[in-house]
Amino acid sequence: MRFSQYPINTTKETPAEAEVTSHQLMLRAGMIRRVAAGIYSWLPLGLRVVRKVEHIIREEMNRAGALEILMPAVQPAELWQESGRWIEYGPELLRLKDRHERDFVVGPTHEEVVTDIARRELRSYRQLPVNFYQIQTKFRDEVRPRFGVMRGREFIMKDAYSFHADEASMAAGYAAMRAAYVRMFTRMQLNFRSVQADTGAIGGSASEEFQVLADSGEDAIAVSDGDGFAANVELAPAAAPTQARAVPAQALEKVATPHMKTIADLSAFLGVPREQCLKTLLVDATDGGVVALVLRGDHELNPVKAQKLKGVANPLRMASAAAVKAASGSEPGFLGPVGLDCPIYADHAARNLADFVCGANAPDLHLQGVNWARDLPEPASADLRNVVDGDPSPTGKGQLRIVRGIEVGHIFQLGRKYSQAMNATVLDESGQSITMLMGCYGIGVTRIVAASIEQNHDERGIIWPDPLAPFHVVLIPLNLQKSAPVRAAADALYAELAAAGVEVLYDDRDARPGVKFADAELLGIPHRLVLGERGLQAGSCEYRHRRAADNEDIPLASVTRFIKAKLAG
Ligand code: ATP
Ligand code: MG
């Protein structure tokens, strides 16, 4: 590609709209342009990277025996009514009507359409297992689209769905996809972890996320330093304290705590550590009332765990001010479990406290020296909190560390959720009709592009790993416009490299070398060749890797071989 024919606008300024590095660099490098919130156009350079990601995914999906299909982006509401998700899905689902007033959705995912295909095409157990995949545009009306293409509303996903006659086959299909994902992300040179994940509303038996490790990631992951345990914090179990609770030593006392509504304020005001104070949250119950969730002041509520508790509404909802008032006689800020008129769950760590501080269910008042069993009934206890750095690993080996990740893939054993609702059956060996089992496997194609940049950049720009680079080599001739020999040599080298299958960005623009160098670094082309008059006389050109500090002189005659070896290595 000749740069002179490539209308690409790079900028030095950091765009104000971009919070994370990848978004900033993608805008500065002219890879993407915003069209509306969470909706982007991919310009030529950016699209080349998307295609690289897709290519690796296709190769590995095909190698794993999956079959590529292409389903429509716009789907009839009937299929969603059949699965029950027309009602369940909520405002992330973009709904629309055609000219006949018929309801449609723009697909946020394709379980319904693929299950419809399966029930029509698959008749016999002999046709199973089968795995259909596609690479296609999705639309989700995200509450908070942000970080550019990382959390867009329109984005490209690879989604795959497998169909099986029995559990063992579903587990084998899942394992095959897991292995394919490891190969793909390894080939993309991402630093990733697979982690146990919540199966959410979908249920099902097994689920793992593939998380690219990056400080800007939206997900918190708990990783054990003692063994291979890794789980999304949403799911990671907090081990219950092993020490017995201390015996009460203090008398119960009411203390005035004017305006002390937060644990931090309260702890400072009373001179009591945060972990000795309780926080009490009221959430909606399934029966229309409320449930109290009690945590140590230094711990955070885990909504995914809490909404699975018996009697707690799922999804979790904080109780209304009126409901709080009815149950406690007070307002939030001074809530406590003593005398509360509703069911109470205390986190294991909160239940293990003695002589604690909690709200008195009255404005500007707290209780001090409170003890379970003595001053209020023993509560039901449960795992309600997020694990924190230093917690023991649930496997009993080592301690947990919390790291941040970007979810680039998610694999699921779905079971019969969709096949049952949509009556997707085949005949088994004895001619009986059986409902198929399913697995589903997603990858955020466009999110991977951003995730790779989060892991590969410096203050000057992007640093692409070879397999994702939009071009392998940037060829920068010096003084091209004035020197005929340089132009002739550069043209020849460009042709030679291209003929050898090397993807070259040939910077033949009439621009200063400094501009060309800066652009090459911003765009993140991994290998740079500089050809000047002096080098030409010596029969060489300068090579530098994007990560290297120094140039190497390479004889012109062996440049192509040299680059090919670099790309193979
Ligand atoms: P998240 O928790 O990030 O919202 P999800 O659980 O909703 O993800 P899935 O439904 O499993 O995601 O979709 C499969 C993959 O699609 C995800 O692993 C992620 O890489 C990608 N993805 C999901 N939502 C978005 C989005 N809004 N923008 C870009 N990629 C996305
Ligand atoms: Mg989502």
Side-chain angles (χ1 to χ4, degrees):
M1 178 69 64
R2 286 175 183 267
F3 214 142
S4 61
Q5 295 167 4
Y6 205 150
I8 177 174
N9 291 311
T10 57
T11 50
K12 280 210 188 79
E13 300 74 37
T14 301
E17 66 186 274
E19 298 160 73
V20 291
T21 308
S22 57
H23 189 196
Q24 292 166 359
L25 290 173
M26 289 174 86
L27 290 171
R28 287 185 53 206
M31 291 176 63
I32 54 168
R33 290 291 178 243
R34 181 181 180 278
V35 179
I39 301 180
Y40 289 84
S41 290
W42 287 87
L43 301 190
L45 189 92
L47 186 63
R48 289 182 71 100
V49 183
V50 172
R51 294 287 181 251
K52 296 276 168 104
V53 172
E54 291 176 349
H55 179 71
I56 293 173
I57 293 174
R58 265 200 188 89
E59 279 193 350
E60 295 303 334
M61 291 303 290
N62 294 346
R63 187 204 300 270
L67 306 171
E68 186 166 6
I69 61 175
L70 185 57
M71 293 182 272
V74 176
Q75 312 172 7
E78 287 76 19
L79 289 177
W80 287 73
Q81 282 152 356
E82 240 188 289
S83 72
R85 287 207 289 188
W86 178 252
I87 292 165
E88 279 165 25
Y89 213 94
E92 256 188 42
L93 182 63
L94 182 64
R95 298 151 204 258
L96 47 99
K97 286 188 190 296
D98 72 2
R99 63 169 79 202
H100 307 294
E101 290 289 303
R102 289 192 195 108
D103 287 313
F104 286 85
V105 308
V106 182
T109 174
H110 279 69
E111 282 83 3
E112 283 79 2
V113 179
V114 82
T115 306
D116 184 51
I117 292 173
R119 71 179 166 187
R120 291 160 189 268
E121 306 300 325
L122 305 173
R123 299 279 152 75
S124 157
Y125 74 97
R126 284 200 196 86
Q127 293 170 297
L128 301 181
V130 64
N131 182 329
F132 293 121
Y133 80 97
Q134 66 171 347
I135 296 178
Q136 198 245 16
T137 297
K138 301 278 188 267
F139 193 94
R140 294 182 181 179
D141 204 350
E142 299 274 354
V143 204
R144 274 191 79 198
R146 57 186 185 149
F147 304 156
V149 298
M150 195 102 88
R151 182 165 296 283
R153 293 198 294 166
E154 188 176 300
F155 58 96
I156 301 175
M157 195 199 287
K158 185 287 296 176
D159 44 331
Y161 308 87
S162 61
F163 295 86
H164 308 272
D166 56 41
E167 301 266 348
S169 169
M170 176 171 71
Y174 178 88
M177 277 297 106
R178 189 181 189 288
Y181 275 36
V182 169
R183 289 184 61 98
M184 291 174 203
F185 297 136
T186 304
R187 281 181 64 183
M188 293 175 200
Q189 298 185 16
L190 292 165
N191 177 14
F192 70 97
R193 282 295 295 254
S194 77
V195 310
Q196 294 171 29
D198 182 47
T199 47
I202 296 177
S205 38
S207 166
E208 274 163 278
E209 289 165 354
F210 288 79
Q211 295 274 358
V212 164
L213 305 182
D215 290 340
S216 58
E218 288 183 293
D219 287 17
I221 311 160
V223 179
S224 169
D225 60 14
D227 58 17
F229 177 85
N232 195 307
V233 164
E234 286 184 343
L235 179 95
T242 47
Q243 279 166 310
R245 187 164 71 202
V247 286
Q250 298 175 9
L252 179 68
E253 191 186 351
K254 204 172 259 187
V255 283
T257 51
H259 314 301
M260 297 298 144
K261 285 197 176 188
T262 67
I263 294 285
D265 289 348
L266 181 70
S267 143
F269 180 77
L270 295 176
V272 172
R274 289 155 55 104
E275 56 268 31
Q276 217 33 53
C277 304
L278 289 191
K279 59 182 166 200
T280 303
L281 305 160
L282 294 189
V283 298
D284 286 353
T286 43
D287 64 3
V290 298
V291 177
L293 305 175
V294 179
L295 293 142
R296 237 168 61 177
D298 59 328
H299 286 152
E300 254 179 55
L301 176 69
N302 180 311
V304 173
K305 291 177 183 176
Q307 70 197 8
K308 288 180 189 155
L309 294 173
K310 194 162 170 281
V312 173
N314 185 353
L316 195 75
R317 279 186 309 270
M318 288 298 145
S320 66
V324 170
K325 186 92 191 168
S328 69
S330 176
E331 52 185 289
F334 301 96
L335 292 180
V338 181
L340 209 52
D341 184 20
C342 66
I344 298 175
Y345 282 108
D347 180 68
H348 295 309
R351 192 185 172 182
N352 210 42
L353 287 183
D355 300 324
F356 54 83
V357 172
C358 64
N361 298 319
D364 297 338
L365 284 177
H366 278 83
L367 299 174
Q368 212 168 358
V370 190
N371 285 280
W372 300 110
R374 188 191 73 181
D375 305 321
L376 73 168
E378 281 291 354
S381 75
D383 176 9
L384 288 179
R385 67 177 177 94
N386 286 338
V387 290
V388 293
D389 243 20
D391 271 340
S393 168
T395 57
K397 293 198 193 97
Q399 290 191 337
L400 296 179
R401 295 277 156 253
I402 310 298
V403 295
R404 304 219 55 98
I406 301 167
E407 181 197 318
V408 291
H410 198 170
I411 58 176
F412 262 107
Q413 292 187 26
L414 276 178
R416 298 190 177 86
K417 177 170 161 86
Y418 296 93
S419 47
Q420 199 143 42
M422 297 180 64
N423 202 22
T425 60
V426 292
L427 297 180
D428 71 6
E429 284 169 48
S430 55
Q432 299 280 328
S433 171
I434 54 164
T435 304
M436 289 184 273
L437 288 142
M438 290 172 64
C440 78
Y441 319 94
I443 293 186
V445 173
T446 37
R447 185 180 280 183
I448 285 175
V449 177
S452 174
I453 297 174
E454 288 296 326
Q455 286 192 334
N456 299 289
H457 66 266
D458 62 13
E459 65 292 344
R460 287 168 291 154
I462 304 167
I463 310 176
W464 291 112
D466 289 349
L468 301 191
F471 295 96
H472 301 131
V473 171
V474 57
L475 173 59
I476 303 181
L478 302 177
N479 235 344
L480 180 80
Q481 267 65 25
K482 295 200 188 95
S483 165
V486 168
R487 177 179 290 275
D491 282 357
L493 186 55
Y494 174 52
E496 182 185 316
L497 285 164
V502 179
E503 297 169 31
V504 186
L505 180 62
Y506 178 18
D507 198 345
D508 60 344
R509 294 176 299 172
D510 185 8
R512 284 181 294 111
V515 170
K516 295 185 181 188
F517 290 144
D519 275 349
E521 286 178 327
L522 174 60
L523 302 186
I525 314 300
H527 306 278
R528 185 182 84 183
L529 293 170
V530 179
L531 199 58
E533 249 167 347
R534 202 165 345 125
L536 204 53
Q537 276 157 19
S540 69
C541 78
E542 273 176 9
Y543 167 81
R544 192 195 285 198
H545 189 270
R546 176 68 178 77
R547 288 190 190 276
D550 298 309
N551 291 329
E552 273 177 73
D553 283 331
I554 311 294
L556 266 178
S558 58
V559 170
T560 299
R561 205 173 341 121
F562 175 84
I563 293 290
K564 290 287 277 185
K566 288 274 178 199
L567 294 177

